[in-house]
């Protein structure tokens, strides 16, 4: 890579890493005041655990192709265990990783995706999930769910090898790998851990929510534009359409909020931003402005009504912070919309359904179904086993949930002057 592209990729990597603290603030603001430290820590511990797992074996499972002369593998090999052989530069034939001429840079960039993906799941079970169990879950989920799906799509696996008359699956920055994957795992976690005993509390800190959404928006520009792995015209286009889709979804949410309530919700607009960012993620390098507008509009409408009608809550699943309604549905819409609006000139592909080609849409539909099925089943199995291990389990006790996880799990308060939302104020003086 030229020095300009290396500088851009290092910047993009820092931006994506910055997204995880942004997610922590976004989720933390939506939680109760007595659980904000716990909610923040789910994301922060992911930064520690995921980096170690990724360096030891996660990257190898995702990107060490066991069949370099063919596509269709389920999971990578252990050839790059502990990043063995992943040096500053690949061999001159470029076959080392197959995606980038700078192996260590690519591994580091992808590491930031492995950090934030499991952190997204936590929004479904905040205020009631054991922190120690979550650490074990992180290790298992990255290894057994994230790495295989990442390999399927980006590492030489079977989804990346789908071919319908020259048209295959398109996932520029992680619609299936990150967002659908995390959202389905979130549904599994929320279903197994059960409903909150003390539901119905408003977000305790809306400035946190807006701050988190702003950090995520800024970081997402590295997430999407950086996925081009170069500083070129595709990265510029991805940067632009990411902003356009996010803005469109946010304004769409604001309009719908006003129609239904006569007010424009700050939390709603922030959530609309996230929905638009999620939806454009798989399409960022493949669509132009018109496609981005359509994707952002669709995300704003779909996700607004999914949250408005509480679709999972109606079937008895307490997805606390609406992970499925935002990341799941926007991810599915974005993946399918990529197959519809892909622009031949931009993405160096055969164009989408609007150009008369259904191949990409069909391949992406298969990718969506496969991701939902595998992530759902594998996540359920992992969580079920963890819940049955004596002394472990998924859920804190009723007393701990009532007191709040900040003091019970971490021995700390988020705020010095605690209010009525924290029943432990008298306990800790």
């Amino acid at each position: 890579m030229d020095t300009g592209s290396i500088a851009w990729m290092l910047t993009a990597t820092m931006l994506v890493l910055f997204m995880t603290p942004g997610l922590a603030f976004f989720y933390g603001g939506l939680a109760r005041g007595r659980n904000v430290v716990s909610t923040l820590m789910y994301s922060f511990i992911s930064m520690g655990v995921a980096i170690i797992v990724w360096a030891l074996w996660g990257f190898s499972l995702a990107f060490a192709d066991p069949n370099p002369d063919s596509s269709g593998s389920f999971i990578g090999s252990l050839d790059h265990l502990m990043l063995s052989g992943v040096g500053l530069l690949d061999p001159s034939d470029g076959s080392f990783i197959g995606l980038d001429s700078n192996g260590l840079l690519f591994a580091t960039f992808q590491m930031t995706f492995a950090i934030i993906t499991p952190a997204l799941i936590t929004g479904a079970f905040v205020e009631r999930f054991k922190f120690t169990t979550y650490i074990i879950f992180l290790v298992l989920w990255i290894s057994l769910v994230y790495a295989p799906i990442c390999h399927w799509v980006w590492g030489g696996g079977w989804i990346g090898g789908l071919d319908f008359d020259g048209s295959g699956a398109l996932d520029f920055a992680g619609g299936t790998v990150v967002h659908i994957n995390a959202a389905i795992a979130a549904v599994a976690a929320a279903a197994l851990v059960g409903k909150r005993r003390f539901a119905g509390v408003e977000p305790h800190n809306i400035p946190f929510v807006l701050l988190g959404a702003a950090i995520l928006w800024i970081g997402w520009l590295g997430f999407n534009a950086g996925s081009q792995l170069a500083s070129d015209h595709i990265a510029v286009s991805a940067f632009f359409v990411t902003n356009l889709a996010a803005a469109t979804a946010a304004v769409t949410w604001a309009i719908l909020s006003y129609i239904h309530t006569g007010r424009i919700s700050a939390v709603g607009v922030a959530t609309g931003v996230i929905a638009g960012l999620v939806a454009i993620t798989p399409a960022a390098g493949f669509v132009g402005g018109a496609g981005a507008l359509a994707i952002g509009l669709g995300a704003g409408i779909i996700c607004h009504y999914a949250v408005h009608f509480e679709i999972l809550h109606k079937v008895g699943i307490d997805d606390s912070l609406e992970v499925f309604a935002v990341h799941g549905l926007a991810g599915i819409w974005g993946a399918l919309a990529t197959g519809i609006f892909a622009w031949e000139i931009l993405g160096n592909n055969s164009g989408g359904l609007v150009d008369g080609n259904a191949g990409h849409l069909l391949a992406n539909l298969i990718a969506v179904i496969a991701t939902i099925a595998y992530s759902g089943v594998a996540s359920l199995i992992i969580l079920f086993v963890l819940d049955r291990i004596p002394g472990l389990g998924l859920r804190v006790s009723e007393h701990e949930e009532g007191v709040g996880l900040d003091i019970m799990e971490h021995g700390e308060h988020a705020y010095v002057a605690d209010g009525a939302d924290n029943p432990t104020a008298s306990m800790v003086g």
Side-chain angles (χ1 to χ4, degrees), residues 150-181:
C150 183
H151 181 75
W152 295 357
V153 177
W154 294 330
W158 69 273
I159 287 179
L162 290 173
D163 189 341
F164 296 96
D165 294 327
S167 300
L170 300 175
D171 189 350
F172 192 75
T176 50
V177 177
V178 176
H179 297 290
I180 299 174
N181 192 7

PDB file of all heavy atoms in Angstrom, residues 150-181:
ATOM      1  N   CYS A 150     -17.765 -14.181   9.723  1.00  0.00           N
ATOM      2  CA  CYS A 150     -16.787 -13.293   9.089  1.00  0.00           C
ATOM      3  C   CYS A 150     -16.035 -14.033   7.984  1.00  0.00           C
ATOM      4  O   CYS A 150     -15.819 -13.506   6.889  1.00  0.00           O
ATOM      5  CB  CYS A 150     -15.818 -12.771  10.154  1.00  0.00           C
ATOM      6  SG  CYS A 150     -14.593 -11.599   9.541  1.00  0.00           S
ATOM      7  N   HIS A 151     -15.672 -15.273   8.267  1.00  0.00           N
ATOM      8  CA  HIS A 151     -14.977 -16.083   7.255  1.00  0.00           C
ATOM      9  C   HIS A 151     -15.871 -16.367   6.058  1.00  0.00           C
ATOM     10  O   HIS A 151     -15.412 -16.302   4.908  1.00  0.00           O
ATOM     11  CB  HIS A 151     -14.503 -17.399   7.877  1.00  0.00           C
ATOM     12  CG  HIS A 151     -13.763 -18.276   6.924  1.00  0.00           C
ATOM     13  ND1 HIS A 151     -12.463 -18.027   6.529  1.00  0.00           N
ATOM     14  CD2 HIS A 151     -14.145 -19.383   6.234  1.00  0.00           C
ATOM     15  CE1 HIS A 151     -12.074 -18.946   5.665  1.00  0.00           C
ATOM     16  NE2 HIS A 151     -13.081 -19.781   5.474  1.00  0.00           N
ATOM     17  N   TRP A 152     -17.129 -16.683   6.308  1.00  0.00           N
ATOM     18  CA  TRP A 152     -18.054 -16.948   5.201  1.00  0.00           C
ATOM     19  C   TRP A 152     -18.077 -15.800   4.204  1.00  0.00           C
ATOM     20  O   TRP A 152     -18.090 -16.016   2.997  1.00  0.00           O
ATOM     21  CB  TRP A 152     -19.483 -17.118   5.719  1.00  0.00           C
ATOM     22  CG  TRP A 152     -19.741 -18.294   6.588  1.00  0.00           C
ATOM     23  CD1 TRP A 152     -18.866 -19.286   6.952  1.00  0.00           C
ATOM     24  CD2 TRP A 152     -20.975 -18.595   7.227  1.00  0.00           C
ATOM     25  NE1 TRP A 152     -19.476 -20.171   7.782  1.00  0.00           N
ATOM     26  CE2 TRP A 152     -20.778 -19.785   7.966  1.00  0.00           C
ATOM     27  CE3 TRP A 152     -22.220 -17.982   7.264  1.00  0.00           C
ATOM     28  CZ2 TRP A 152     -21.797 -20.375   8.727  1.00  0.00           C
ATOM     29  CZ3 TRP A 152     -23.231 -18.548   8.012  1.00  0.00           C
ATOM     30  CH2 TRP A 152     -23.019 -19.742   8.735  1.00  0.00           C
ATOM     31  N   VAL A 153     -18.117 -14.578   4.722  1.00  0.00           N
ATOM     32  CA  VAL A 153     -18.355 -13.414   3.878  1.00  0.00           C
ATOM     33  C   VAL A 153     -17.057 -12.816   3.340  1.00  0.00           C
ATOM     34  O   VAL A 153     -16.947 -12.506   2.150  1.00  0.00           O
ATOM     35  CB  VAL A 153     -19.147 -12.339   4.667  1.00  0.00           C
ATOM     36  CG1 VAL A 153     -19.349 -11.079   3.817  1.00  0.00           C
ATOM     37  CG2 VAL A 153     -20.503 -12.898   5.109  1.00  0.00           C
ATOM     38  N   TRP A 154     -16.053 -12.646   4.197  1.00  0.00           N
ATOM     39  CA  TRP A 154     -14.851 -11.895   3.823  1.00  0.00           C
ATOM     40  C   TRP A 154     -13.567 -12.727   3.763  1.00  0.00           C
ATOM     41  O   TRP A 154     -12.572 -12.266   3.223  1.00  0.00           O
ATOM     42  CB  TRP A 154     -14.614 -10.745   4.810  1.00  0.00           C
ATOM     43  CG  TRP A 154     -15.646  -9.674   4.785  1.00  0.00           C
ATOM     44  CD1 TRP A 154     -16.399  -9.272   3.712  1.00  0.00           C
ATOM     45  CD2 TRP A 154     -16.039  -8.841   5.878  1.00  0.00           C
ATOM     46  NE1 TRP A 154     -17.231  -8.250   4.074  1.00  0.00           N
ATOM     47  CE2 TRP A 154     -17.030  -7.957   5.394  1.00  0.00           C
ATOM     48  CE3 TRP A 154     -15.643  -8.746   7.208  1.00  0.00           C
ATOM     49  CZ2 TRP A 154     -17.629  -6.996   6.211  1.00  0.00           C
ATOM     50  CZ3 TRP A 154     -16.245  -7.792   8.016  1.00  0.00           C
ATOM     51  CH2 TRP A 154     -17.221  -6.935   7.518  1.00  0.00           C
ATOM     52  N   GLY A 155     -13.577 -13.921   4.328  1.00  0.00           N
ATOM     53  CA  GLY A 155     -12.329 -14.655   4.490  1.00  0.00           C
ATOM     54  C   GLY A 155     -12.121 -15.814   3.548  1.00  0.00           C
ATOM     55  O   GLY A 155     -11.288 -16.684   3.809  1.00  0.00           O
ATOM     56  N   GLY A 156     -12.888 -15.868   2.469  1.00  0.00           N
ATOM     57  CA  GLY A 156     -12.747 -16.977   1.525  1.00  0.00           C
ATOM     58  C   GLY A 156     -13.778 -18.060   1.704  1.00  0.00           C
ATOM     59  O   GLY A 156     -13.654 -19.147   1.124  1.00  0.00           O
ATOM     60  N   GLY A 157     -14.809 -17.802   2.519  1.00  0.00           N
ATOM     61  CA  GLY A 157     -15.832 -18.802   2.792  1.00  0.00           C
ATOM     62  C   GLY A 157     -16.917 -18.869   1.738  1.00  0.00           C
ATOM     63  O   GLY A 157     -16.868 -18.211   0.694  1.00  0.00           O
ATOM     64  N   TRP A 158     -17.938 -19.636   2.064  1.00  0.00           N
ATOM     65  CA  TRP A 158     -18.921 -20.009   1.044  1.00  0.00           C
ATOM     66  C   TRP A 158     -19.818 -18.860   0.605  1.00  0.00           C
ATOM     67  O   TRP A 158     -20.236 -18.806  -0.556  1.00  0.00           O
ATOM     68  CB  TRP A 158     -19.756 -21.196   1.529  1.00  0.00           C
ATOM     69  CG  TRP A 158     -20.697 -20.908   2.657  1.00  0.00           C
ATOM     70  CD1 TRP A 158     -20.426 -20.943   3.983  1.00  0.00           C
ATOM     71  CD2 TRP A 158     -22.079 -20.536   2.538  1.00  0.00           C
ATOM     72  NE1 TRP A 158     -21.538 -20.616   4.717  1.00  0.00           N
ATOM     73  CE2 TRP A 158     -22.571 -20.367   3.860  1.00  0.00           C
ATOM     74  CE3 TRP A 158     -22.956 -20.329   1.469  1.00  0.00           C
ATOM     75  CZ2 TRP A 158     -23.888 -19.999   4.126  1.00  0.00           C
ATOM     76  CZ3 TRP A 158     -24.265 -19.960   1.739  1.00  0.00           C
ATOM     77  CH2 TRP A 158     -24.715 -19.804   3.041  1.00  0.00           C
ATOM     78  N   ILE A 159     -20.142 -17.921   1.512  1.00  0.00           N
ATOM     79  CA  ILE A 159     -20.987 -16.796   1.077  1.00  0.00           C
ATOM     80  C   ILE A 159     -20.238 -15.907   0.099  1.00  0.00           C
ATOM     81  O   ILE A 159     -20.785 -15.471  -0.921  1.00  0.00           O
ATOM     82  CB  ILE A 159     -21.475 -15.981   2.296  1.00  0.00           C
ATOM     83  CG1 ILE A 159     -22.541 -16.777   3.051  1.00  0.00           C
ATOM     84  CG2 ILE A 159     -22.042 -14.630   1.858  1.00  0.00           C
ATOM     85  CD1 ILE A 159     -23.090 -16.088   4.281  1.00  0.00           C
ATOM     86  N   GLY A 160     -18.977 -15.644   0.388  1.00  0.00           N
ATOM     87  CA  GLY A 160     -18.170 -14.864  -0.545  1.00  0.00           C
ATOM     88  C   GLY A 160     -17.998 -15.551  -1.882  1.00  0.00           C
ATOM     89  O   GLY A 160     -17.741 -14.898  -2.897  1.00  0.00           O
ATOM     90  N   GLY A 161     -18.168 -16.874  -1.893  1.00  0.00           N
ATOM     91  CA  GLY A 161     -18.020 -17.633  -3.137  1.00  0.00           C
ATOM     92  C   GLY A 161     -19.300 -17.826  -3.922  1.00  0.00           C
ATOM     93  O   GLY A 161     -19.281 -18.460  -4.989  1.00  0.00           O
ATOM     94  N   LEU A 162     -20.435 -17.322  -3.433  1.00  0.00           N
ATOM     95  CA  LEU A 162     -21.691 -17.438  -4.177  1.00  0.00           C
ATOM     96  C   LEU A 162     -21.577 -16.739  -5.523  1.00  0.00           C
ATOM     97  O   LEU A 162     -21.035 -15.640  -5.619  1.00  0.00           O
ATOM     98  CB  LEU A 162     -22.845 -16.828  -3.380  1.00  0.00           C
ATOM     99  CG  LEU A 162     -23.292 -17.567  -2.119  1.00  0.00           C
ATOM    100  CD1 LEU A 162     -24.337 -16.741  -1.361  1.00  0.00           C
ATOM    101  CD2 LEU A 162     -23.875 -18.935  -2.461  1.00  0.00           C
ATOM    102  N   ASP A 163     -22.109 -17.359  -6.543  1.00  0.00           N
ATOM    103  CA  ASP A 163     -21.985 -16.788  -7.895  1.00  0.00           C
ATOM    104  C   ASP A 163     -23.219 -17.130  -8.706  1.00  0.00           C
ATOM    105  O   ASP A 163     -23.497 -18.290  -8.986  1.00  0.00           O
ATOM    106  CB  ASP A 163     -20.738 -17.342  -8.582  1.00  0.00           C
ATOM    107  CG  ASP A 163     -20.430 -16.636  -9.896  1.00  0.00           C
ATOM    108  OD1 ASP A 163     -21.342 -15.997 -10.454  1.00  0.00           O
ATOM    109  OD2 ASP A 163     -19.285 -16.716 -10.359  1.00  0.00           O
ATOM    110  N   PHE A 164     -23.968 -16.091  -9.054  1.00  0.00           N
ATOM    111  CA  PHE A 164     -25.142 -16.254  -9.910  1.00  0.00           C
ATOM    112  C   PHE A 164     -24.877 -15.477 -11.198  1.00  0.00           C
ATOM    113  O   PHE A 164     -25.133 -14.274 -11.279  1.00  0.00           O
ATOM    114  CB  PHE A 164     -26.404 -15.745  -9.210  1.00  0.00           C
ATOM    115  CG  PHE A 164     -26.756 -16.520  -7.975  1.00  0.00           C
ATOM    116  CD1 PHE A 164     -26.355 -16.071  -6.724  1.00  0.00           C
ATOM    117  CD2 PHE A 164     -27.463 -17.708  -8.059  1.00  0.00           C
ATOM    118  CE1 PHE A 164     -26.677 -16.776  -5.580  1.00  0.00           C
ATOM    119  CE2 PHE A 164     -27.782 -18.428  -6.923  1.00  0.00           C
ATOM    120  CZ  PHE A 164     -27.384 -17.963  -5.679  1.00  0.00           C
ATOM    121  N   ASP A 165     -24.303 -16.171 -12.168  1.00  0.00           N
ATOM    122  CA  ASP A 165     -23.943 -15.550 -13.448  1.00  0.00           C
ATOM    123  C   ASP A 165     -23.064 -14.323 -13.241  1.00  0.00           C
ATOM    124  O   ASP A 165     -23.295 -13.250 -13.820  1.00  0.00           O
ATOM    125  CB  ASP A 165     -25.200 -15.162 -14.236  1.00  0.00           C
ATOM    126  CG  ASP A 165     -26.009 -16.377 -14.666  1.00  0.00           C
ATOM    127  OD1 ASP A 165     -25.381 -17.420 -14.945  1.00  0.00           O
ATOM    128  OD2 ASP A 165     -27.241 -16.289 -14.695  1.00  0.00           O
ATOM    129  N   GLY A 166     -22.068 -14.473 -12.389  1.00  0.00           N
ATOM    130  CA  GLY A 166     -21.119 -13.391 -12.153  1.00  0.00           C
ATOM    131  C   GLY A 166     -21.512 -12.429 -11.059  1.00  0.00           C
ATOM    132  O   GLY A 166     -20.780 -11.488 -10.762  1.00  0.00           O
ATOM    133  N   SER A 167     -22.667 -12.664 -10.446  1.00  0.00           N
ATOM    134  CA  SER A 167     -23.131 -11.800  -9.362  1.00  0.00           C
ATOM    135  C   SER A 167     -23.130 -12.578  -8.055  1.00  0.00           C
ATOM    136  O   SER A 167     -23.680 -13.681  -7.991  1.00  0.00           O
ATOM    137  CB  SER A 167     -24.546 -11.288  -9.644  1.00  0.00           C
ATOM    138  OG  SER A 167     -24.570 -10.549 -10.855  1.00  0.00           O
ATOM    139  N   GLY A 168     -22.515 -12.004  -7.027  1.00  0.00           N
ATOM    140  CA  GLY A 168     -22.433 -12.679  -5.742  1.00  0.00           C
ATOM    141  C   GLY A 168     -22.920 -11.805  -4.609  1.00  0.00           C
ATOM    142  O   GLY A 168     -23.511 -10.752  -4.817  1.00  0.00           O
ATOM    143  N   ALA A 169     -22.665 -12.264  -3.384  1.00  0.00           N
ATOM    144  CA  ALA A 169     -23.076 -11.514  -2.201  1.00  0.00           C
ATOM    145  C   ALA A 169     -22.224 -10.254  -2.060  1.00  0.00           C
ATOM    146  O   ALA A 169     -21.022 -10.276  -2.288  1.00  0.00           O
ATOM    147  CB  ALA A 169     -22.943 -12.393  -0.963  1.00  0.00           C
ATOM    148  N   LEU A 170     -22.873  -9.173  -1.660  1.00  0.00           N
ATOM    149  CA  LEU A 170     -22.191  -7.898  -1.457  1.00  0.00           C
ATOM    150  C   LEU A 170     -22.399  -7.454  -0.011  1.00  0.00           C
ATOM    151  O   LEU A 170     -23.525  -7.221   0.415  1.00  0.00           O
ATOM    152  CB  LEU A 170     -22.756  -6.821  -2.397  1.00  0.00           C
ATOM    153  CG  LEU A 170     -22.649  -7.065  -3.903  1.00  0.00           C
ATOM    154  CD1 LEU A 170     -23.363  -5.950  -4.671  1.00  0.00           C
ATOM    155  CD2 LEU A 170     -21.199  -7.164  -4.339  1.00  0.00           C
ATOM    156  N   ASP A 171     -21.325  -7.361   0.736  1.00  0.00           N
ATOM    157  CA  ASP A 171     -21.384  -6.824   2.095  1.00  0.00           C
ATOM    158  C   ASP A 171     -20.129  -5.990   2.293  1.00  0.00           C
ATOM    159  O   ASP A 171     -19.089  -6.496   2.685  1.00  0.00           O
ATOM    160  CB  ASP A 171     -21.470  -7.935   3.137  1.00  0.00           C
ATOM    161  CG  ASP A 171     -21.751  -7.399   4.537  1.00  0.00           C
ATOM    162  OD1 ASP A 171     -21.688  -6.168   4.719  1.00  0.00           O
ATOM    163  OD2 ASP A 171     -22.036  -8.210   5.443  1.00  0.00           O
ATOM    164  N   PHE A 172     -20.247  -4.705   2.018  1.00  0.00           N
ATOM    165  CA  PHE A 172     -19.063  -3.858   1.973  1.00  0.00           C
ATOM    166  C   PHE A 172     -18.402  -3.708   3.336  1.00  0.00           C
ATOM    167  O   PHE A 172     -17.179  -3.787   3.447  1.00  0.00           O
ATOM    168  CB  PHE A 172     -19.439  -2.473   1.437  1.00  0.00           C
ATOM    169  CG  PHE A 172     -18.256  -1.624   1.083  1.00  0.00           C
ATOM    170  CD1 PHE A 172     -17.517  -1.869  -0.062  1.00  0.00           C
ATOM    171  CD2 PHE A 172     -17.876  -0.566   1.898  1.00  0.00           C
ATOM    172  CE1 PHE A 172     -16.418  -1.094  -0.390  1.00  0.00           C
ATOM    173  CE2 PHE A 172     -16.783   0.229   1.577  1.00  0.00           C
ATOM    174  CZ  PHE A 172     -16.046  -0.036   0.432  1.00  0.00           C
ATOM    175  N   ALA A 173     -19.211  -3.508   4.405  1.00  0.00           N
ATOM    176  CA  ALA A 173     -18.594  -3.215   5.700  1.00  0.00           C
ATOM    177  C   ALA A 173     -19.241  -3.937   6.878  1.00  0.00           C
ATOM    178  O   ALA A 173     -18.926  -3.620   8.020  1.00  0.00           O
ATOM    179  CB  ALA A 173     -18.619  -1.706   5.955  1.00  0.00           C
ATOM    180  N   GLY A 174     -20.154  -4.885   6.632  1.00  0.00           N
ATOM    181  CA  GLY A 174     -20.616  -5.680   7.755  1.00  0.00           C
ATOM    182  C   GLY A 174     -22.097  -5.723   8.037  1.00  0.00           C
ATOM    183  O   GLY A 174     -22.506  -5.908   9.181  1.00  0.00           O
ATOM    184  N   GLY A 175     -22.952  -5.599   7.024  1.00  0.00           N
ATOM    185  CA  GLY A 175     -24.385  -5.712   7.262  1.00  0.00           C
ATOM    186  C   GLY A 175     -24.760  -7.062   7.843  1.00  0.00           C
ATOM    187  O   GLY A 175     -25.521  -7.147   8.815  1.00  0.00           O
ATOM    188  N   THR A 176     -24.226  -8.136   7.263  1.00  0.00           N
ATOM    189  CA  THR A 176     -24.475  -9.476   7.791  1.00  0.00           C
ATOM    190  C   THR A 176     -23.505  -9.817   8.911  1.00  0.00           C
ATOM    191  O   THR A 176     -23.902 -10.243   9.991  1.00  0.00           O
ATOM    192  CB  THR A 176     -24.347 -10.531   6.676  1.00  0.00           C
ATOM    193  OG1 THR A 176     -23.106 -10.341   5.978  1.00  0.00           O
ATOM    194  CG2 THR A 176     -25.488 -10.449   5.701  1.00  0.00           C
ATOM    195  N   VAL A 177     -22.226  -9.595   8.672  1.00  0.00           N
ATOM    196  CA  VAL A 177     -21.183 -10.011   9.610  1.00  0.00           C
ATOM    197  C   VAL A 177     -21.346  -9.341  10.965  1.00  0.00           C
ATOM    198  O   VAL A 177     -21.182  -9.977  12.016  1.00  0.00           O
ATOM    199  CB  VAL A 177     -19.780  -9.691   9.037  1.00  0.00           C
ATOM    200  CG1 VAL A 177     -18.691 -10.065  10.036  1.00  0.00           C
ATOM    201  CG2 VAL A 177     -19.562 -10.413   7.717  1.00  0.00           C
ATOM    202  N   VAL A 178     -21.672  -8.074  10.972  1.00  0.00           N
ATOM    203  CA  VAL A 178     -21.740  -7.307  12.219  1.00  0.00           C
ATOM    204  C   VAL A 178     -23.177  -7.169  12.712  1.00  0.00           C
ATOM    205  O   VAL A 178     -23.537  -7.651  13.789  1.00  0.00           O
ATOM    206  CB  VAL A 178     -21.092  -5.912  12.044  1.00  0.00           C
ATOM    207  CG1 VAL A 178     -21.258  -5.075  13.310  1.00  0.00           C
ATOM    208  CG2 VAL A 178     -19.620  -6.065  11.681  1.00  0.00           C
ATOM    209  N   HIS A 179     -24.029  -6.525  11.937  1.00  0.00           N
ATOM    210  CA  HIS A 179     -25.304  -6.062  12.482  1.00  0.00           C
ATOM    211  C   HIS A 179     -26.376  -7.143  12.567  1.00  0.00           C
ATOM    212  O   HIS A 179     -27.012  -7.302  13.619  1.00  0.00           O
ATOM    213  CB  HIS A 179     -25.788  -4.856  11.679  1.00  0.00           C
ATOM    214  CG  HIS A 179     -24.853  -3.703  11.791  1.00  0.00           C
ATOM    215  ND1 HIS A 179     -24.701  -2.991  12.954  1.00  0.00           N
ATOM    216  CD2 HIS A 179     -23.960  -3.168  10.905  1.00  0.00           C
ATOM    217  CE1 HIS A 179     -23.775  -2.058  12.783  1.00  0.00           C
ATOM    218  NE2 HIS A 179     -23.321  -2.144  11.548  1.00  0.00           N
ATOM    219  N   ILE A 180     -26.607  -7.875  11.499  1.00  0.00           N
ATOM    220  CA  ILE A 180     -27.587  -8.961  11.590  1.00  0.00           C
ATOM    221  C   ILE A 180     -27.098 -10.014  12.568  1.00  0.00           C
ATOM    222  O   ILE A 180     -27.862 -10.521  13.408  1.00  0.00           O
ATOM    223  CB  ILE A 180     -27.852  -9.568  10.197  1.00  0.00           C
ATOM    224  CG1 ILE A 180     -28.426  -8.512   9.246  1.00  0.00           C
ATOM    225  CG2 ILE A 180     -28.801 -10.757  10.311  1.00  0.00           C
ATOM    226  CD1 ILE A 180     -28.577  -8.996   7.814  1.00  0.00           C
ATOM    227  N   ASN A 181     -25.842 -10.342  12.499  1.00  0.00           N
ATOM    228  CA  ASN A 181     -25.232 -11.326  13.389  1.00  0.00           C
ATOM    229  C   ASN A 181     -25.449 -10.950  14.858  1.00  0.00           C
ATOM    230  O   ASN A 181     -25.939 -11.744  15.667  1.00  0.00           O
ATOM    231  CB  ASN A 181     -23.733 -11.398  13.065  1.00  0.00           C
ATOM    232  CG  ASN A 181     -23.033 -12.572  13.708  1.00  0.00           C
ATOM    233  OD1 ASN A 181     -23.649 -13.437  14.316  1.00  0.00           O
ATOM    234  ND2 ASN A 181     -21.726 -12.606  13.571  1.00  0.00           N
TER     235      ASN A 181
END
